[in-house]
Amino acid sequence: SKSRESGAAARDRPTTATIRFLISRSSTALSHEPESAAIDNIKRTVLKEDDEDTAQEYFKVLDRVKRYTKEHYYPIINSIESIEKIENPFLDRRLVEISKKLHAVRSRPELLIHGTRSRFVEQMIRDGFSYQRKGLFGQGFYFYTDSSKAARGCGRDTIKCLLLCDVLLGETMAMKSADRSLNLSRIESAGFDSVYGVRGTKESGGVFNDEYVVFRTEQIAPRYLVRFRENAFEDSENLGSK
């Protein structure tokens, strides 16, 4: 009886090979866990105009948002509620890695603006961009130099959100008219990494003001979150005319 029990125990005992497999599988699972899940590594600093440590950067971002506005776009940015600096090591590493794979290997990121709904902004800061919108230059991630144009993506939220992002444009395909069929495969095969909608080309089917499009989320790293309130028009006729 005792020998039968010891034989059963031996059969149930995991072999050395099984243990190695389990350890290997566990290590693989851990290595595939999203790095962005470690949100404790994300550093967020509130920039304030009356803080000597952050005032210079606060006004730099404020100027970037307030000075690049266009009257013919709605909403009009009025009251800035807050400005936060974002440092996400996970997204920064992705940016560095993808920079090595672009057609323009040594390109530097441009600080461009993207407007989004408040309910999406935290996920975008943590994990990066995921939703590609359909626009004049294909389905991708759209950015602008004009904050008021970017703000059109904020929806009807009372407190609206702009993300100022480092965007790796690489080799840019300049477009003076719309082409909604553009995608990553097409621009890559043509030797480009992004699309630029050239300003002042509305009459030829393009855009009034700059638009930039990338098709890889890895080319984007949020740098600043700006929360603001919009300016209300004095009458409905003005709203309809914009």
Side-chain angles (χ1 to χ4, degrees):
S1 173
K2 189 173 181 180
S3 63
R4 283 200 301 270
E5 288 177 359
S6 60
R11 285 194 302 272
D12 293 338
R13 188 183 304 124
T15 65
T16 302
T18 302
I19 292 172
R20 286 175 180 166
F21 170 74
L22 290 172
I23 292 173
S24 173
R25 186 172 62 177
S26 175
S27 299
T28 302
L30 287 172
S31 67
H32 283 81
E33 182 181 349
E35 291 183 68
S36 56
I39 59 174
D40 290 342
N41 291 331
I42 301 175
K43 183 179 179 182
R44 298 174 67 161
T45 306
V46 177
L47 306 182
K48 297 181 179 180
E49 60 182 309
D50 57 356
D51 183 340
E52 62 180 15
D53 293 327
T54 64
Q56 183 177 359
E57 195 165 10
Y58 172 89
F59 285 113
K60 182 186 77 171
V61 178
L62 181 69
D63 289 348
R64 182 69 178 80
V65 171
K66 297 281 280 187
R67 291 181 180 179
Y68 286 81
T69 59
K70 300 294 180 182
E71 292 183 357
H72 54 270
Y73 288 120
Y74 181 81
I76 295 174
I77 297 169
N78 184 19
S79 172
I80 301 294
E81 297 292 308
S82 65
I83 299 176
E84 279 186 75
K85 181 179 182 178
I86 301 160
E87 297 172 84
N88 185 332
F90 166 65
L91 298 183
D92 290 345
R93 284 194 295 272
R94 285 201 325 187
L95 202 67
V96 171
E97 288 303 312
I98 199 64
S99 70
K100 302 171 185 176
K101 302 176 183 179
L102 301 182
H103 290 90
V105 178
R106 297 183 180 179
S107 63
R108 288 190 166 192
E110 299 282 343
L111 190 66
L112 299 172
I113 309 174
H114 179 90
T116 188
R117 301 292 300 270
S118 296
R119 66 175 182 266
F120 301 137
V121 75
E122 293 301 324
Q123 179 267 330
M124 295 167 77
I125 290 171
R126 185 182 68 245
D127 302 323
F129 283 50
S130 60
Y131 174 73
Q132 294 185 331
R133 81 169 180 84
K134 296 178 180 179
L136 293 178
F137 307 107
Q139 185 168 335
F141 303 108
Y142 280 72
F143 292 88
Y144 310 93
T145 53
D146 304 306
S147 54
S148 48
K149 185 171 184 178
R152 294 191 302 171
C154 298
R156 297 182 177 274
D157 296 338
T158 303
I159 304 294
K160 301 182 185 298
C161 295
L162 294 176
L163 283 170
L164 279 66
C165 302
D166 273 346
V167 184
L168 270 174
L169 298 174
E171 290 290 348
T172 300
M173 175 188 286
M175 299 292 294
K176 295 184 178 180
S177 60
D179 185 348
R180 296 178 183 272
S181 67
L182 290 175
N183 55 36
L184 179 60
S185 177
R186 279 192 60 193
I187 69 166
E188 272 198 317
S189 62
F192 298 102
D193 306 300
S194 63
V195 175
Y196 167 51
V198 181
R199 70 171 68 184
T201 58
K202 188 69 174 179
E203 291 184 1
S204 64
V207 291
F208 275 126
N209 301 105
D210 299 328
E211 290 191 13
Y212 294 89
V213 191
V214 295
F215 300 92
R216 294 187 186 94
T217 183
E218 293 87 354
Q219 289 174 241
I220 308 161
R223 285 287 170 254
Y224 301 98
L225 169 61
V226 178
R227 299 184 190 272
F228 72 95
R229 292 180 184 270
E230 66 184 87
N231 216 0
F233 285 102
E234 292 182 1
D235 53 63
S236 58
E237 290 184 5
N238 284 335
L239 176 59
S241 66
K242 294 293 179 181

